[in-house]
Amino acid sequence: MSIMLSDEFGQFQQDSATPHTSRVATKWLQEHSSDFRHFYCPPKSSDMNIIEPIWVALQCAVQKKSPPPGTSTDLRTALQDSWCGKLPGYLQTLVDTMQRRVASILCARIGPKRY
């Protein structure tokens, strides 16, 4: 896996999304379960999913393109340009918010919160 912890195990975040619960994905996860830690999140728990703000940032950047991407190749290029334009500390900033996010969700025990 691309995310490595200090003990050299990756971590997989399971949020019960359809692609994560498909027969193929379930079989793969069972076969490779010793390769990473499994971190379960309740369904639709975007507060716990670090990829959500990344998707939003990429979507906003692509929507601001003028003219908008007209082909799948244009879209891919726009996404790559947006990703490469992110500041080096962007991902670390998101990672650094996780402890606060988890604590907030555990305290609230309710739906999504703003950060």
Side-chain angles (χ1 to χ4, degrees):
M1 293 191 65
S2 60
I3 300 174
M4 300 302 284
L5 306 173
S6 59
D7 61 4
E8 297 189 17
F9 279 93
Q11 186 160 327
F12 177 78
Q13 181 172 327
Q14 169 64 286
D15 62 1
S16 299
T18 303
H20 298 167
T21 58
S22 70
R23 195 171 337 136
V24 172
T26 301
K27 181 180 177 190
W28 186 92
L29 288 168
Q30 289 171 345
E31 292 172 356
H32 295 89
S33 63
S34 63
D35 297 339
F36 53 85
R37 293 180 183 164
H38 188 162
F39 181 68
Y40 176 80
C41 292
K44 299 183 180 180
S45 55
S46 61
D47 295 85
M48 298 286 291
N49 192 339
I50 202 166
I51 195 70
E52 294 302 327
I54 296 170
W55 289 131
V56 171
L58 292 174
Q59 180 182 16
C60 288
V62 169
Q63 287 176 341
K64 290 178 183 176
K65 292 280 185 187
S66 181
T71 66
S72 58
T73 302
D74 293 343
L75 177 59
R76 181 183 178 117
T77 300
L79 288 167
Q80 287 174 331
D81 290 348
S82 176
W83 179 252
C84 291
K86 292 289 172 212
L87 297 174
Y90 176 69
L91 295 178
Q92 188 60 50
T93 300
L94 293 175
V95 170
D96 292 344
T97 67
M98 286 307 295
Q99 185 174 4
R100 186 173 38 121
R101 289 173 183 241
V102 171
S104 179
I105 289 169
L106 291 174
C107 279
R109 295 183 181 204
I110 56 175
K113 297 182 62 77
R114 294 187 61 98
Y115 295 96

